C-alpha cells in the first residue's frame, strides 16, 4: 500500500496548492477551480439511479480557461469531442456567463499535463448535463474576478462595470479581458456568483452550428491518426485472429527482410513490425509466421448459448408485488416470448490507435480517448513511468461510441514506443478492429406476462442474460464481488417502466471468452428491443392499439407521467399514427426512458426484394432543456441511422474460433441508400438538460420490428431482423 | 522507385515502393492528412480522392498508377479556405459532420458525382455514393449534395 499512500499525498498536496494559490495566473493563463457541490450532488443522484457509480473517482475536476491576446477565451475540455457536438454546447454555456460572443470562445482538448483530472471521462450522455451548471459557475467566477481587478485598477465600484464581448467599461474606463488578465498576478477567488436566469440566455435554446465545422469540412489534421513527430516510425501489431489465442510459435525472419522494416518488437505476447512507413509495416505483418495456441475453437451456437437466461449469476434488479407467483398460478393466462441481440462492435471509422513518444524522462501520447485521466495512469504503469512523466494529448476522435474508454491498446502502443525509443504511429487494420475489439455483449431475454380476463396486464417479468460491460474493467473481480452483475451498464434499461402492479427484472450474468464493453446506450439498446417488442406483442394479443396501450400504462400524476403523455401524444400527431397508411407500408412504435430523457419513435417500413426498408422515422425527444436544438437534431438523426444499422444489418458471428467479419463487406452498415425520411421533434419546457447522445438509439430497432409485424404478420425477435 | 505526379496543382516527386497504396503516399510522404484510412480494402470510401478527374479509393490504388497524372485531395478541392468548393460550402450550410472522419471521402465522392451529373436526383445520390458513415450523417449528406448542386448552378450562371 506504500504507493497508495504516496499517491494520496501527492494528490492532496497538489489540491492544496491549487486552493492556496487560488488561481494560477501565469501571465495570460487564467484557471479557476470549479465549485464541487453541484458535481457531487449530480454524482450522488446518478449513483442513486445506478447509472455509473463505478466510473466515478472521488477527485473533483478542475476547469480551466485561458484568456488569449486576441481577447478570445480558450476552454480546455477534459471531455472528448467524438462527434457528439459537446464542444459547441459547452462553448455556448461558457459564453453565457463570460459575456462574450460565441465566436470568442475556442475549445480544445485539455492535455493531462495541464493538471486537469477527470476520472469520469466522457460517456453516458452526461457531458452537457453534468457540466451545465459547473461550467457556467466557473465562467461567471472568472468574469467576476476580471471585473474585480478592473474595479480595483480604476478605483470604481464593481457593480458599475459593464461587460460586452469581453470588453469591460465603466465611465471613461475601458479594457479587454486580456488586458486585465495580464495586469496582475494577485488574484482572489470570489464566492460563486449567482448565475443569470434562463430568461436572459443569449445562446442557450438557439440553433447553433458546430464550432468544429470548418476544420472538419476542410480536412484539418485533427485526429489521432493524423498526428506526427519528427523521425516517426510506423508499426502494426500482431494480434490473435482467434478468440483466446495465445502465441505459441513465431518466425519473424521474412518480416524483418521486408524493405522499410526497421525492427520487429518481441516482448512476450507483444509483437509488432516497426517500419519507415505504414505500407512496409503491413507487408511485414503479412510475412510473420505465427502459430496460436487456441484453448477452444468456438462455434456460433455454443458461443451464443453462453448467454442464456438461467446460466451464471442472477441478480434481481426490480421487484414489485409478486409477479412470479401470479404467473405460476395461472399458466393458461401467461404469454411468454424470447428475444436475442447479437455480439457486435463499434466500427467507428477511425481505427483504434495512438501515436506515442516515450523518452528517458518523459512520454507523450496523442490519442482520441474518452478517459484521458484513466489512460494516463494505466499507460504510465505499463511503461513503468511516473504518472506525471506522461502527457496525454487528447485528439478529436473519428467516432467512438464507447470503444475509446479502454486503455489496453494504448498501453501496448506505449510499450512498443518505449522499446523502439523513437516516436511510433500504431493503428489497427480494419480486420484487427473486428477481430480484436471490445464487443457489444450478446443478450438473451425472456419476458412473460399474465393477461387478466379483461385484457389487462396483471404481471410481467423480464430476465436478461448478458455479459458485463464495465465490471471486467475493474481490477481483481471487485466489481463482480460487490455488485454480482453489471446492472449499471449491461442491465441498464432492464427494469419495466410501465405501471404494472406486479413486475420484476432479473439479470443473468455469465462471462464470455471475449472482452465485452460499453456500446452507445449500453444495456438500453438490447433491453428496449426486448421489452418494447414484447409490449407490442402484448398489445396485439390483447387487441389494443400499441400507442394507446402505452399511454394507459404510463399514465399517472407524477411529472414523468406528464412527460410520457406529451411525448406519446406529440408522436401520434406528428407521425400521423391515427391516419391511414399508404399501401405496402407497415408502422411500428417504441419508447424508452434513458438518462432522464424520453425518446419515442414511430417508424414506417416497406419490403423491397424481400429486404426490410425503413421509409420514414418520426422521433420525439424530451431531453429536458434543449441547449442547442440543432445539435440535438443531429444526434437524433445519427442515433436513428445507427439504430437502423443495428436493427437490419449489424452482428458478429463466430466460426472455428474466429470472429468471421474481417472487413465492412462482412459487417454491412447503413448507407445513403438506407436513409429514410427523418423527422425530429424536440420537446422543451424544462430548466435543466438531460442526456441526448444515447436515448434516441434504443427505440429504433423495436419500432422497426413492430412495423415489420404490422406489414407481414411476422414477429422477428432476433437482431439483426431478417425476413427469412 | 522515383514517381512523379501532380498533387493539388503542384509537382510531387516521391521515392517509394511503386506498389505502396496512394493513400499512404499522400498522407505520410506528402503530409496531406485529409484523405483518411478506414478499411484498406476500398469498402468504406474514407480515402476517396480524384485522379485525372475520376474518384478513386486510394487505399487500394498503387502509387505507380498516379505516375504522370493529376491527383486532387480535399486540400486541393477549393481555391482557398475563404473560397470553398460548393460541396464544402454546402457541407457548412447543412452542418453535416459529426465526428468528421469519413467526411473528406464523402465530399470527394460527391464532388465527383456533381462533375458528372450536375443535378442529381435523390436516387442518383443514393445509388452512386456508397461510402460509410457510422455517426449517421447520411440524411445531411444527401441534403448537402442537393444544395451543392444548386450552389454550383448559381456560380456557373
Amino acid at each position: 500500500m506504500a504507493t497508495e499512500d504516496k499517491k494520496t499525498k501527492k494528490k492532496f498536496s497538489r489540491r492544496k496548492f491549487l486552493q492556496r494559490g487560488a488561481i494560477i495566473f501565469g501571465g495570460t493563463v487564467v484557471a479557476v477551480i470549479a465549485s464541487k457541490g453541484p458535481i457531487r450532488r449530480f454524482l450522488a443522484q446518478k449513483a442513486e439511479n445506478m447509472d455509473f457509480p463505478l466510473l466515478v473517482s472521488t477527485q473533483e475536476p478542475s476547469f480551466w480557461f485561458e484568456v488569449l491576446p486576441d481577447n478570445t477565451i480558450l476552454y480546455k475540455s477534459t471531455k472528448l469531442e467524438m462527434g457528439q457536438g459537446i464542444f459547441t454546447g459547452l462553448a455556448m454555456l461558457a459564453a453565457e456567463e463570460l459575456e462574450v460572443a460565441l465566436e470568442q470562445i475556442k475549445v480544445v482538448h485539455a492535455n493531462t499535463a495541464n493538471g486537469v483530472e477527470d476520472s469520469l471521462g466522457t460517456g453516458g450522455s452526461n457531458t452537457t448535463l453534468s457540466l451545465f451548471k459547473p461550467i457556467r459557475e466557473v465562467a461567471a467566477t472568472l468574469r467576476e474576478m476580471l471585473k474585480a481587478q478592473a474595479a480595483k485598477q480604476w478605483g470604481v465600484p464593481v457593480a458599475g462595470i459593464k461587460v460586452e464581448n469581453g470588453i469591460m467599461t465603466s465611465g471613461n474606463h475601458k479594457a479587454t479581458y486580456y488586458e486585465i488578465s495580464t495586469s496582475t498576478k494577485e488574484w482572489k477567488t470570489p464566492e460563486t456568483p449567482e448565475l443569470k436566469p434562463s430568461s436572459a440566455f443569449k445562446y442557450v435554446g438557439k440553433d447553433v452550428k458546430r464550432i468544429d465545422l470548418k476544420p472538419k469540412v476542410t480536412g484539418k489534421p485533427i485526429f489521432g491518426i493524423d498526428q506526427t513527430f519528427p523521425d516517426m516510425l510506423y508499426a502494426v501489431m500482431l494480434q490473435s485472429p482467434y478468440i483466446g489465442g495465445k502465441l505459441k510459435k513465431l518466425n519473424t525472419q521474412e518480416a524483418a527482410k521486408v524493405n522499410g522494416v526497421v525492427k520487429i518488437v518481441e516482448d512476450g505476447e507483444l509483437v509488432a513490425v516497426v517500419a519507415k512507413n505504414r505500407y512496409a509495416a503491413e507487408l511485414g505483418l503479412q510475412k510473420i509466421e505465427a502459430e496460436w495456441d487456441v484453448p477452444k475453437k468456438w462455434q456460433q451456437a455454443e458461443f451464443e448459448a453462453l448467454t442464456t437466461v438461467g446460466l451464471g449469476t442472477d441478480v434481481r434488479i426490480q421487484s414489485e408485488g409478486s409477479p412470479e407467483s401470479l404467473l405460476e398460478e395461472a399458466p393458461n393466462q401467461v404469454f411468454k416470448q424470447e428475444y436475442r441481440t447479437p455480439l457486435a462492435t463499434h466500427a467507428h471509422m477511425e481505427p483504434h490507435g495512438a501515436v506515442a513518444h516515450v523518452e528517458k524522462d518523459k512520454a507523450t501520447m496523442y490519442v482520441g480517448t474518452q478517459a484521458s485521466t484513466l489512460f494516463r495512469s494505466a499507460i504510465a504503469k505499463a511503461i513503468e513511468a511516473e504518472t506525471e512523466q506522461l502527457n496525454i494529448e487528447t485528439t478529436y476522435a473519428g467516432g467512438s461510441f464507447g470503444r475509446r474508454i479502454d486503455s489496453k491498446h494504448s498501453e501496448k502502443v506505449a510499450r512498443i514506443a518505449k522499446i523502439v525509443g523513437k516516436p511510433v504511429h500504431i493503428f489497427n487494420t480494419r480486420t484487427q478492429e473486428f477481430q480484436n475489439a471490445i464487443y457489444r455483449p450478446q443478450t438473451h431475454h425472456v419476458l412473460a406476462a399474465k393477461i387478466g380476463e379483461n385484457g389487462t396486464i396483471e404481471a410481467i417479468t423480464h430476465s436478461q442474460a448478458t455479459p458485463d460491460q464495465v465490471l471486467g474493467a475493474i481490477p481483481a473481480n471487485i466489481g463482480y464481488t460487490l455488485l454480482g452483475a453489471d446492472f449499471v451498464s449491461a442491465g441498464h434499461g432492464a427494469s419495466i417502466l410501465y405501471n404494472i402492479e406486479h413486475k420484476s427484472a432479473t439479470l443473468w450474468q455469465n462471462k464470455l471468452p471475449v472482452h465485452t464493453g460499453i456500446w452507445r446506450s449500453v444495456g438500453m439498446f438490447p433491453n428496449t428491443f426486448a421489452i418494447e417488442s414484447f409490449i407490442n406483442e402484448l398489445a396485439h394479443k390483447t387487441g389494443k392499439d400499441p400507442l394507446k396501450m402505452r399511454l394507459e400504462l404510463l399514465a399517472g400524476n407524477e411529472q414523468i407521467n406528464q412527460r410520457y403523455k406529451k411525448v406519446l401524444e406529440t408522436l401520434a400527431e406528428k407521425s400521423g399514427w391515427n391516419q391511414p397508411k399508404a399501401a405496402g407500408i407497415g408502422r411500428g412504435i417504441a419508447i424508452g426512458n434513458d438518462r432522464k430523457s424520453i425518446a419515442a419513435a414511430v417508424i414506417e417500413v416497406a419490403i423491397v426484394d424481400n429486404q426490410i426498408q425503413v421509409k420514414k422515422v418520426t422521433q420525439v425527444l424530451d431531453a429536458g432543456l434543449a441547449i442547442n436544438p440543432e445539435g440535438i437534431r443531429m444526434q437524433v438523426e445519427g442515433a436513428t441511422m445507427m439504430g437502423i444499422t443495428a436493427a437490419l444489418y449489424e452482428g458478429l458471428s463466430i466460426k472455428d474460433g474466429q470472429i468471421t467479419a474481417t472487413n465492412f463487406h462482412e459487417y454491412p452498415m447503413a448507407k445513403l441508400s438506407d436513409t429514410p425520411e427523418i423527422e425530429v421533434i424536440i420537446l422543451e419546457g424544462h430548466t435543466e438538460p438531460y442526456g441526448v447522445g444515447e436515448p434516441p438509439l434504443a427505440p429504433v430497432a423495436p419500432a422497426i420490428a413492430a412495423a415489420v409485424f404490422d406489414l407481414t404478420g411476422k414477429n422477428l425477435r432476433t437482431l439483426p431482423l431478417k425476413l427469412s | 522507385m522515383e514517381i512523379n505526379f501532380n498533387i493539388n496543382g503542384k509537382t510531387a516527386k516521391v521515392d517509394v515502393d511503386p506498389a505502396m497504396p496512394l493513400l499512404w503516399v499522400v498522407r505520410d510522404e506528402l503530409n496531406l492528412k485529409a484523405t483518411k484510412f478506414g478499411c484498406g480494402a476500398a469498402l468504406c470510401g474514407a480515402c476517396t480522392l480524384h485522379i485525372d478527374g475520376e474518384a478513386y479509393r486510394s487505399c487500394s490504388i498503387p502509387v505507380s498508377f498516379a505516375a504522370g497524372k493529376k491527383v486532387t485531395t480535399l486540400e486541393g478541392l477549393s481555391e482557398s479556405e475563404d473560397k470553398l468548393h460548393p460541396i464544402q460550402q454546402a457541407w457548412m450550410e447543412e452542418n453535416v459532420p459529426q465526428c468528421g472522419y469519413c467526411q473528406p471521402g464523402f465530399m470527394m465522392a460527391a464532388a465527383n458525382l456533381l462533375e458528372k451529373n450536375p443535378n442529381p436526383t435523390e436516387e442518383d445520390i443514393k445509388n452512386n455514393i456508397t461510402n460509410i458513415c457510422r455517426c449517421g450523417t447520411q440524411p445531411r449528406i444527401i441534403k448537402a449534395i442537393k444544395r451543392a448542386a444548386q450552389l454550383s448552378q448559381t456560380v456557373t450562371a
Side-chain angles (χ1 to χ4, degrees):
Chain A
M1 294 308 283
T3 44
E4 276 302 311
D5 291 341
K6 199 175 130 202
K7 261 189 191 165
T8 317
K9 239 180 229 166
K10 223 183 281 170
K11 273 170 194 158
F12 181 68
S13 57
R14 198 175 59 78
R15 188 179 310 154
K16 238 167 62 181
F17 166 68
L18 281 173
Q19 282 171 351
R20 186 157 25 88
I23 306 305
I24 311 162
F25 274 20
T28 61
V29 179
V30 180
V32 187
I33 304 162
S35 140
K36 60 197 174 197
I39 294 256
R40 291 231 171 109
R41 281 197 297 280
F42 164 74
L43 290 180
Q45 198 186 345
K46 291 303 278 185
E48 185 100 317
N49 294 343
M50 302 189 300
D51 269 349
F52 48 73
L54 294 168
L55 296 177
V56 177
S57 92
T58 55
Q59 302 149 36
E60 75 278 10
S62 308
F63 298 89
W64 298 64
F65 285 109
E66 199 171 312
V67 183
L68 301 177
D70 62 356
N71 209 33
T72 55
I73 313 259
L74 195 65
Y75 172 60
K76 299 176 184 179
S77 170
T78 62
K79 302 295 185 188
L80 175 69
E81 178 57 79
M82 47 191 163
Q84 78 281 48
I86 53 158
F87 274 16
T88 310
L90 295 176
M92 290 166 77
L93 292 172
E96 292 290 358
E97 289 295 339
L98 280 166
E99 296 300 348
V100 295
L102 184 60
E103 297 72 38
Q104 286 178 280
I105 308 260
K106 290 175 185 162
V107 186
V108 295
H109 289 105
N111 60 35
T112 56
N114 202 34
V116 182
E117 292 194 348
D118 183 348
S119 297
L120 193 53
T122 315
S125 298
N126 84 84
T127 295
T128 307
L129 70 103
S130 68
L131 289 175
F132 176 59
K133 201 169 174 202
I135 193 173
R136 287 181 301 140
E137 287 180 342
V138 175
T141 305
L142 172 56
R143 181 199 67 222
E144 287 308 309
M145 287 162 71
L146 291 161
K147 278 169 76 175
Q149 177 59 22
K152 196 171 139 194
Q153 272 183 32
W154 298 337
V156 300
V158 176
I161 295 180
K162 285 187 187 131
V163 191
E164 211 183 330
N165 295 332
I167 297 166
M168 293 178 280
T169 49
S170 174
N172 293 330
H173 301 288
K174 187 177 177 182
T176 65
Y177 276 165
Y178 178 73
E179 286 160 353
I180 296 298
S181 78
T182 51
S183 66
T184 182
K185 289 188 176 174
E186 301 284 316
W187 297 91
K188 274 187 197 141
T189 317
E191 287 293 307
T192 305
E194 213 166 287
L195 298 177
K196 68 158 85 152
S198 54
S199 57
F201 283 146
K202 273 200 304 196
Y203 296 107
V204 170
K206 300 229 165 69
D207 284 328
V208 171
K209 282 186 182 160
R210 302 182 69 93
I211 62 169
D212 55 6
L213 196 50
K214 188 87 182 260
K216 287 181 174 175
V217 167
T218 52
K220 290 283 177 290
I222 56 173
F223 299 100
I225 203 169
D226 300 334
Q227 305 313 308
T228 57
F229 280 99
D231 297 322
M232 184 175 81
L233 295 168
Y234 295 81
V236 187
M237 278 185 227
L238 176 72
Q239 299 180 60
S240 169
Y242 293 100
I243 293 168
K246 296 269 176 244
L247 194 56
K248 189 162 73 179
K249 222 170 152 190
L250 185 72
N251 180 349
T252 61
Q253 277 181 358
E254 290 305 309
K257 287 182 199 158
V258 170
N259 192 18
V261 169
V262 297
K263 189 182 176 70
I264 310 285
V265 169
E266 288 182 49
D267 183 12
E269 285 277 313
L270 188 68
V271 177
V273 181
V274 187
K276 286 181 184 160
N277 56 66
R278 168 77 183 213
Y279 177 60
E282 283 188 19
L283 279 186
L285 183 70
Q286 287 161 21
K287 300 269 182 197
I288 284 186
E289 291 166 31
E291 273 180 50
W292 301 95
D293 205 356
V294 184
K296 181 173 172 60
K297 287 204 170 172
W298 289 97
Q299 303 295 348
Q300 180 62 25
E302 51 182 348
F303 188 91
E304 197 174 291
L306 289 175
T307 305
T308 299
V309 169
L311 271 186
T313 321
D314 63 315
V315 175
R316 179 65 68 102
I317 59 171
Q318 183 185 40
S319 187
E320 290 179 30
S322 41
E324 278 79 9
S325 50
L326 279 173
L327 290 170
E328 236 168 76
E329 283 162 21
N332 294 336
Q333 287 171 271
V334 172
F335 179 67
K336 190 174 170 184
Q337 288 302 346
E338 296 185 28
Y339 304 85
R340 278 194 180 273
T341 72
L343 197 74
T345 189
H346 303 79
H348 42 74
M349 297 309 295
E350 180 194 17
H352 225 63
V355 181
H357 190 196
V358 179
E359 297 169 85
K360 246 191 187 142
D361 50 3
K362 65 172 177 139
T364 309
M365 176 178 279
Y366 287 94
V367 62
T369 165
Q370 290 179 243
S372 58
T373 300
L374 299 175
F375 267 52
R376 184 172 65 153
S377 45
I379 294 164
K381 202 175 158 198
I383 55 171
E384 294 164 324
E386 292 291 323
T387 308
E388 290 73 13
Q389 290 175 303
L390 172 65
N391 181 26
I392 303 284
E393 293 276 0
T394 302
T395 65
Y396 281 86
S400 184
F401 316 107
R403 176 68 179 88
R404 299 181 196 271
I405 283 173
D406 188 89
S407 61
K408 285 182 198 71
H409 191 273
S410 294
E411 290 167 34
K412 289 179 188 161
V413 170
R415 282 172 59 202
I416 293 165
K418 188 183 176 186
I419 293 166
V420 173
K422 279 189 173 182
V424 191
H425 178 282
I426 309 181
F427 285 77
N428 275 347
T429 65
R430 185 53 67 178
T431 302
Q432 291 173 337
E433 281 292 284
F434 284 112
Q435 296 193 329
N436 306 91
I438 290 175
Y439 301 96
R440 183 185 86 194
Q442 58 187 13
T443 63
H444 175 227
H445 308 256
V446 178
L447 280 128
K450 186 193 169 195
I451 303 172
E453 303 293 345
N454 53 358
T456 55
I457 314 300
E458 292 178 1
I460 186 167
T461 59
H462 174 214
S463 299
Q464 180 202 8
T466 176
D468 76 278
Q469 293 190 335
V470 294
L471 299 189
I474 299 160
N477 262 342
I478 292 169
Y480 291 100
T481 314
L482 274 178
L483 299 175
D486 177 13
F487 52 77
V488 180
S489 290
H492 180 51
S495 296
I496 307 288
L497 52 90
Y498 293 102
N499 297 331
I500 295 166
E501 203 184 332
H502 302 272
K503 57 185 175 183
S504 72
T506 307
L507 216 59
W508 289 89
Q509 196 133 59
N510 200 17
K511 282 190 197 181
L512 285 184
V514 296
H515 189 164
T516 48
I518 284 172
W519 190 92
R520 189 177 189 174
S521 91
V522 294
M524 193 55 79
F525 171 76
N527 284 317
T528 307
F529 172 66
I531 296 172
E532 287 297 284
S533 292
F534 188 63
I535 292 292
N536 282 326
E537 292 198 46
L538 280 173
H540 180 72
K541 184 104 187 140
T542 56
K544 286 185 179 155
D545 175 279
L547 194 148
K548 284 197 194 92
M549 179 168 158
R550 285 176 170 84
L551 270 173
E552 283 166 24
L553 287 176
L554 294 168
N557 297 322
E558 305 289 321
Q559 194 210 16
I560 187 79
N561 304 111
Q562 299 308 309
R563 290 176 64 205
Y564 284 131
K565 187 167 185 275
K566 198 170 167 200
V567 166
L568 285 166
E569 285 176 350
T570 309
L571 184 62
E573 187 205 322
K574 297 286 180 182
S575 68
W577 180 260
N578 297 313
Q579 309 303 317
K581 290 164 290 187
I585 292 289
R587 202 185 266 160
I589 183 182
I591 188 169
N593 175 337
D594 184 15
R595 317 294 181 193
K596 291 171 90 176
S597 287
I598 300 169
V602 164
I603 296 187
E604 293 187 353
V605 304
I607 308 291
V608 180
D609 299 332
N610 203 35
Q611 296 287 317
I612 301 162
Q613 217 172 70
V614 179
K615 290 292 188 189
K616 191 181 167 202
V617 177
T618 311
Q619 274 246 27
V620 177
L621 178 67
D622 170 358
L625 176 71
I627 290 171
N628 181 6
E630 166 72 351
I632 294 175
R633 266 193 299 279
M634 293 178 92
Q635 283 302 293
V636 179
E637 289 164 10
T640 299
M641 292 308 299
M642 196 163 172
I644 289 173
T645 290
L648 300 184
Y649 301 120
E650 191 159 28
L652 290 164
S653 55
I654 286 145
K655 200 181 170 198
D656 299 334
Q658 288 185 295
I659 300 277
T660 56
T662 59
N663 214 317
F664 287 119
H665 63 300
E666 289 154 329
Y667 196 84
M669 302 210 290
K671 297 202 169 149
L672 294 189
S673 53
D674 294 286
T675 311
E677 181 191 341
I678 299 175
E679 190 184 0
V680 179
I681 299 107
I682 301 163
L683 295 184
E684 295 189 58
H686 301 273
T687 51
E688 57 166 359
Y690 307 141
V692 168
E694 297 172 292
L697 175 63
V700 176
I704 293 175
V708 172
F709 172 76
D710 184 43
L711 187 61
T712 65
K714 279 186 204 167
N715 268 307
L716 303 179
R717 302 187 182 99
T718 299
L719 292 181
L721 306 171
K722 296 283 172 219
L723 284 171
S724 49
Chain B
M1 199 177 109
E2 197 176 281
I3 294 166
N4 294 295
F5 58 94
N6 181 293
I7 180 99
N8 300 332
K10 289 176 196 151
T11 308
K13 196 178 275 186
V14 292
D15 187 9
V16 294
D17 185 330
M20 187 190 284
L22 183 58
L23 168 69
W24 300 124
V25 175
V26 166
R27 281 184 58 83
D28 300 333
E29 306 295 323
L30 305 176
N31 200 32
L32 294 167
K33 304 291 190 190
T35 312
K36 299 300 188 210
F37 167 65
C39 70
L43 293 163
C44 76
C47 62
T48 305
L49 45 66
H50 300 169
I51 305 173
D52 283 351
E54 285 294 323
Y56 284 91
R57 293 184 170 175
S58 63
C59 71
S60 303
I61 299 288
V63 60
S64 57
F65 180 78
K69 295 185 174 126
K70 198 171 165 259
V71 177
T72 308
T73 67
L74 183 70
E75 289 97 336
L77 191 64
S78 58
E79 268 175 56
S80 74
E81 294 218 348
D82 302 321
K83 212 175 167 189
L84 294 177
H85 185 278
I87 276 288
Q88 290 170 302
Q89 190 55 40
W91 244 250
M92 297 282 291
E93 288 174 16
E94 293 292 346
N95 200 22
V96 174
Q98 287 190 25
C99 88
Y101 192 80
C102 69
Q103 300 299 336
F106 266 106
M107 283 185 275
M108 294 309 282
N112 192 249
L113 174 68
L114 291 189
E115 286 285 321
K116 292 174 175 165
N117 180 355
N119 205 1
T121 63
E122 181 151 334
E123 285 317 294
D124 292 338
I125 295 168
K126 286 181 170 179
N127 293 336
N128 280 286
I129 297 181
T130 56
N131 293 24
I132 295 176
C133 166
R134 179 57 147 175
C135 294
T137 62
Q138 291 90 343
R140 283 171 193 254
I141 287 173
I142 294 168
K143 279 186 202 157
I145 296 173
K146 290 182 192 166
R147 184 184 279 261
Q150 285 172 359
L151 288 173
S152 305
Q153 279 155 16
T154 324
V155 171
T156 336

